[in-house]
Amino acid sequence: MKPFQVGLLGAGVVGGGTFAVLQRNQEEIRRRAGREIRITHVADVDLARARRVAGDAAEVGNDARALIARPEIDAVIELIGGTGIARTLVLEAIAAGKHVVTANKALLAVHGTEIFAAAGENGVVVAFEAAVAGGIPIIKALREGLTANRIEWIAGIINGTTNFILSEMREKRIDFATALADAQRLGYAEADPTFDITGVDAAHKATILSAIAFGVPVQFAKAYVEGIVDLQAADIAYAEQLGYRIKLLAITKRREASANHAGGIELRVHPTLVPSRRLIANVEGAMNAVMVQGDAVGTTLYYGKGAGAEPTASAVIADLVDIARLATADPDHRVPHLAFQPAAMQDLGVLPIDDVVTAFYLRLQVADETGVLARITGILAEHGISIDALLQRPGAAGAGEARTDVIILTHDTVEGRMTAAIAKMQALPTVLAKIVRIRKEDLA
Ligand code: HSE
């Protein structure tokens, strides 16, 4: 059979990894795909970079549109990134009848509905294993391996940069700014790490996981997103004393309506206390891990490298092999892009953060006076919030007054109630600094 011919858009680190792995494992890959998979053309604005990546193996140019228009190209790999020119080129490739493999989480989280609809109309596949958790085959697991299950929730560490920073903060007892500088020096964080540290990158990935888990459209705009920028070393240390680690978790959960709660999907990214005894709490450095709770299978955990040249290439090539095998199949018999048949997608909305149900860690810096604790616990009780644990420790030295840190762990509550309780506690004259609130998940 003639080789499966692929055009590569964007010759960066992952493009280089894809060439290297395809070349090194070409015989194994051919035995699996049933034909050779060959990148025959590369397009990049930086021609020298494209030549470095392709060597003599492919024709190199700087015209992506000309590459897409070539009739011999079966599939296009999009590794440009972002939601600008990448969107235009992906839609053009689809319109030209090319299958697309992309690692672009932002593109799919924001424009996925448009892109998957266009792919459906043109009978092509848009494959995106590399967009979430790099080398971990989490899309395949959710979409195919767990297809018998009603998925209940997913909780993942799906941003390696922030996990590295949090590990450094905990292990070396350093603050956020120092850990970020270390991450940049060691090449874990981008020169502009904004999307990582603000949680946006993880939210893009969580949006894709949520759509596949529940058969709902991608709804990035409705995700609640909070990064690690304001996280303080003191809270990491207190959490540890209480038996927890703080991780930037991406969480998506199906919530049935009840007398007390609205129904819908939770889709949120924020620092989270996780019991130290959970495996996922021990995922350190730049590694990724995703927990999936299905009603039949129970809890499953997927662990591996979420970024890097060859781990990401592993996912890109797996998609190419899938497409090479299925290219001639009737489009109706392919695995649906978002796991559920397009006509069976549900219009379940994402719950506003005030309707999310979770437990909390609170830290209050208070004046060490009689009755302070009673007033605080009284406000929590007024709002129907139940306390799980309480710790009092000497806090940072104040301006002459005796101060103490009060740390409270609560049981599950609706977030809106906690927000109201915090506003009331914050107004007490004996509460001397901004109250720290971090969500807590038991992941049991
Ligand atoms: N910036 C991402 C991370 C790379 O740190 O995980 C992979 O998407």
Side-chain angles (χ1 to χ4, degrees), residues 19-279:
F19 263 101
V21 176
L22 269 178
Q23 209 156 33
R24 188 169 74 239
N25 296 341
Q26 60 179 307
E27 186 49 28
E28 292 287 88
I29 292 167
R30 192 188 57 73
R31 286 171 61 212
R32 290 184 172 119
R35 58 203 285 201
E36 186 191 347
I37 294 176
R38 194 188 290 168
I39 299 176
T40 53
H41 295 80
V42 179
D44 195 295
V45 282
D46 182 342
L47 273 176
R49 181 166 82 154
R51 285 199 188 96
R52 268 198 308 279
V53 160
D56 298 332
E59 203 175 293
V60 164
N62 57 8
D63 187 345
R65 291 203 161 95
L67 183 155
I68 289 168
R70 298 188 84 97
E72 70 273 30
I73 296 284
D74 298 300
V76 169
I77 307 174
E78 183 274 306
L79 297 176
I80 298 166
T83 53
I85 186 69
R87 171 178 163 270
T88 308
L89 292 174
V90 163
L91 288 171
E92 285 183 16
I94 291 169
K98 311 297 182 191
H99 301 288
V100 174
V101 173
T102 178
N104 192 334
K105 56 256 168 165
L107 179 66
L108 297 180
V110 178
H111 298 294
T113 302
E114 176 190 27
I115 287 169
F116 296 130
E121 280 159 22
N122 287 276
V124 298
V125 175
V126 174
F128 50 93
E129 185 64 68
V132 183
I136 304 175
I138 188 63
I139 302 297
K140 190 87 166 174
L142 274 172
R143 205 162 54 177
E144 297 176 51
L146 299 177
T147 202
N149 288 262
R150 180 177 166 82
I151 304 294
E152 289 163 355
W153 52 260
I154 299 175
I157 296 170
I158 48 180
N159 182 270
T161 305
T162 45
N163 202 51
F164 175 83
I165 291 171
L166 293 178
S167 296
E168 291 282 290
M169 286 176 74
R170 187 183 66 79
E171 283 165 17
K172 299 184 179 163
R173 309 259 176 238
I174 54 178
D175 63 14
F176 168 76
T178 312
L180 172 61
D182 283 355
Q184 285 176 308
R185 188 171 39 79
L186 294 168
Y188 287 108
E190 306 285 339
D192 179 4
T194 311
F195 270 17
D196 295 314
I197 62 178
T198 57
V200 170
D201 175 76
H204 284 146
K205 296 166 182 168
T207 299
I208 297 170
L209 292 179
S210 180
I212 292 178
F214 306 122
V216 297
V218 288
Q219 303 180 68
F220 171 71
K222 295 185 190 152
Y224 174 79
V225 191
E226 185 183 316
I228 63 167
V229 177
D230 295 326
L231 204 59
Q232 295 174 44
D235 296 304
I236 293 178
Y238 284 136
E240 202 160 24
Q241 288 174 36
L242 290 159
Y244 292 85
R245 290 204 180 158
I246 299 181
K247 294 291 181 189
L248 183 70
L249 281 195
I251 297 169
T252 187
K253 206 179 267 195
R254 189 201 303 262
R255 185 163 296 288
E256 305 299 344
S258 74
N260 297 325
H261 316 130
I265 303 260
E266 293 185 7
L267 176 56
R268 48 193 170 102
V269 172
H270 48 70
T272 313
L273 268 77
V274 181
S276 307
R277 63 184 183 283
R278 299 266 178 267
L279 279 176

Side-chain angles (χ1 to χ4, degrees), residues 207-427:
T207 299
I208 297 170
L209 292 179
S210 180
I212 292 178
F214 306 122
V216 297
V218 288
Q219 303 180 68
F220 171 71
K222 295 185 190 152
Y224 174 79
V225 191
E226 185 183 316
I228 63 167
V229 177
D230 295 326
L231 204 59
Q232 295 174 44
D235 296 304
I236 293 178
Y238 284 136
E240 202 160 24
Q241 288 174 36
L242 290 159
Y244 292 85
R245 290 204 180 158
I246 299 181
K247 294 291 181 189
L248 183 70
L249 281 195
I251 297 169
T252 187
K253 206 179 267 195
R254 189 201 303 262
R255 185 163 296 288
E256 305 299 344
S258 74
N260 297 325
H261 316 130
I265 303 260
E266 293 185 7
L267 176 56
R268 48 193 170 102
V269 172
H270 48 70
T272 313
L273 268 77
V274 181
S276 307
R277 63 184 183 283
R278 299 266 178 267
L279 279 176
I280 198 166
N282 294 280
V283 170
E284 299 293 4
M287 300 303 282
N288 281 200
V290 185
M291 277 177 96
V292 182
Q293 177 78 21
D295 67 338
V297 73
T299 309
T300 54
L301 177 68
Y302 309 83
Y303 170 84
K305 289 185 177 153
E310 294 208 358
T312 312
S314 167
V316 166
I317 296 168
D319 279 345
L320 289 175
V321 170
D322 263 359
I323 294 173
R325 284 170 176 155
L326 294 172
T328 53
D330 172 350
D332 287 342
H333 295 151
R334 295 183 187 140
V335 180
H337 288 114
L338 292 177
F340 292 73
Q341 298 296 336
M345 298 285 279
Q346 286 183 335
D347 195 14
L348 270 181
V350 173
L351 292 168
I353 190 67
D354 271 355
D355 289 343
V356 159
V357 176
T358 185
F360 287 89
Y361 161 104
L362 304 177
R363 176 163 61 90
L364 298 93
Q365 236 182 80
V366 298
D368 200 358
E369 290 173 17
T370 313
V372 173
L373 210 50
R375 277 195 289 280
I376 289 167
T377 53
I379 290 172
L380 289 172
E382 268 170 40
H383 289 80
I385 299 167
S386 167
I387 294 173
D388 178 31
L390 200 144
L391 183 72
Q392 188 172 336
R393 286 283 181 274
E401 78 270 77
R403 300 184 163 209
T404 187
D405 272 348
V406 173
I407 297 101
I408 298 172
L409 299 185
T410 75
H411 289 295
D412 276 356
T413 184
V414 177
E415 173 120 2
R417 274 194 222 166
M418 179 54 85
T419 302
I422 288 177
K424 208 154 179 196
M425 292 187 287
Q426 193 71 71

